[in-house]
Amino acid sequence: MSYCGILFGIQPNTNKTNMIEIKDLHKSYQMGSNSLHVLKGINFSVKAGELVAIMGSSGSGKSTLLNILGMLDVADSGEYKLDGVTIKDLNETKAAKYRNKFLGFVFQSFNLINYKTALENVALPLYYQRIPRKERQEKALKYLEMVGLKEWSHHLPSELSGGQNQRVAVARAMASEPKVILADELTGALDSTTSYEVMDLIQKINDQGNTILVVTHEDDIAHMCKRIVYLKDGVIIKDEKVKQVRASEYV
Ligand code: ADP
Ligand code: MG
């Protein structure tokens, strides 16, 4: 498969300080009188330009951690700095602003709006950033081209394959030019070949200098990243750099 157009226009962050820094993060869920301690003191940092897999079996706390990093949830205690900004101190409005500006999300279930075209889906977050209509359209088209779907821009999600929809979701995450892209089981609903096509795209975006975190329970997907952080029962049991397997070898 070829991606028409080059991966242009993305501003790589060449700042080699920590993009993400977390210290002794704890999170429990309260269920009636019971408390489930899900994150039990997580410490790690991610530098600009890294491609990190957060790996672990189901229930190990991966999504909980990613949701905290994505400012969709808050930790009970610990410290979280995103590009030097302490996240806990932000009020709701500011947090939403930071989330839109700093973070791009990709989910297993794509989370596209089914009555909107690919172009409209990619352009939507830009609307919330109050970017003028013409510029929204241009940007959305640019990022659809980047993921190889320019010709599909006026199609609805129901008219696209699973792999194409996930590429639309990646384009949407990229369109606001975030500091970090967070992906939760982004290949979880896709067959192997399609998964590798999506990982090929993720690798190419990372090659441009973008920082990406990929949550997965699949070993082959984790090894397409450059570093694997293993989570088990709410603690990091291993954190290692790996030789990256290029997805393009499989597509
Ligand atoms: P993973 O993504 O690794 O599968 P999660 O972070 O989703 O793990 O969940 C970790 C644990 O926390 C699981 O036992 C899960 O059932 C529980 N959990 C997750 N979200 C909630 C919630 N909102 N309320 C209560 N328990 C939750
Ligand atoms: Mg999960």
Side-chain angles (χ1 to χ4, degrees):
M1 140 191 263
S2 74
Y3 296 105
C4 46
I6 44 160
L7 301 169
F8 52 86
I10 306 161
Q11 286 301 314
N13 187 333
T14 47
N15 171 9
K16 284 290 170 193
T17 58
N18 287 333
M19 186 59 98
I20 287 174
E21 206 176 310
I22 60 174
K23 283 196 187 126
D24 203 25
L25 210 71
H26 284 261
K27 175 77 180 176
S28 296
Y29 289 114
Q30 222 58 48
M31 291 178 300
S33 55
N34 291 328
S35 170
L36 183 65
H37 199 178
V38 177
L39 298 180
K40 302 168 183 167
I42 304 282
N43 293 285
F44 87 126
S45 53
V46 176
K47 288 194 175 15
E50 282 201 83
L51 174 53
V52 184
I54 298 172
M55 169 88 172
S57 56
S58 177
S60 56
K62 304 183 298 295
S63 294
T64 301
L65 176 59
L66 203 76
N67 288 344
I68 293 170
L69 295 177
M71 300 165 68
L72 298 166
D73 201 353
V74 285
D76 298 329
S77 63
E79 220 180 85
Y80 172 26
K81 274 190 190 166
L82 175 62
D83 203 22
V85 176
T86 300
I87 291 311
K88 149 164 105 182
D89 301 339
L90 303 175
N91 64 30
E92 212 33 57
T93 323
K94 232 182 179 170
K97 221 176 184 174
Y98 266 67
R99 192 161 52 228
N100 287 334
K101 220 175 136 188
F102 286 2
L103 301 161
F105 294 91
V106 185
F107 300 97
Q108 174 172 351
S109 51
F110 321 139
N111 288 12
L112 298 172
I113 297 173
N114 57 25
Y115 57 86
K116 287 191 182 292
T117 63
L119 188 79
E120 290 165 343
N121 266 288
V122 176
L124 191 63
L126 305 174
Y127 171 83
Y128 292 113
Q129 289 185 21
R130 302 205 173 124
I131 291 173
R133 184 183 159 83
K134 189 157 177 285
E135 197 181 324
R136 289 203 301 271
Q137 302 263 331
E138 284 169 2
K139 269 202 171 169
L141 201 61
K142 176 175 115 176
Y143 283 97
L144 278 174
E145 181 172 19
M146 184 198 80
V147 302
L149 291 175
K150 194 181 177 191
E151 279 72 39
W152 295 85
S153 61
H154 295 295
H155 287 259
L156 295 170
S158 60
E159 297 165 339
L160 301 173
S161 68
Q164 287 175 323
N165 276 320
Q166 195 58 300
R167 278 151 57 200
V168 173
V170 171
R172 179 183 55 185
M174 291 299 299
S176 44
E177 288 155 11
K179 290 181 187 291
V180 182
I181 292 181
L182 302 171
D184 195 349
E185 306 274 7
L186 87 163
T187 60
L190 307 173
D191 61 66
S192 297
T193 308
T194 313
S195 294
Y196 297 156
E197 284 172 6
V198 169
M199 283 310 291
D200 182 41
L201 175 61
I202 291 291
Q203 290 180 334
K204 284 174 175 159
I205 292 169
N206 173 250
D207 291 343
Q208 303 288 309
N210 291 275
T211 314
I212 309 178
L213 268 68
V214 173
V215 156
T216 185
H217 63 272
E218 293 168 299
D219 198 55
D220 53 344
I221 299 298
H223 279 88
M224 291 176 173
C225 299
K226 294 172 176 167
R227 171 181 164 199
I228 308 179
V229 174
Y230 293 87
L231 207 59
K232 191 181 179 192
D233 299 328
V235 294
I236 292 174
I237 53 165
K238 194 159 72 167
D239 182 344
E240 62 178 9
K241 288 215 159 86
V242 291
K243 188 177 179 315
Q244 185 182 40
V245 175
R246 294 301 294 200
S248 56
E249 290 169 26
Y250 296 89
V251 298

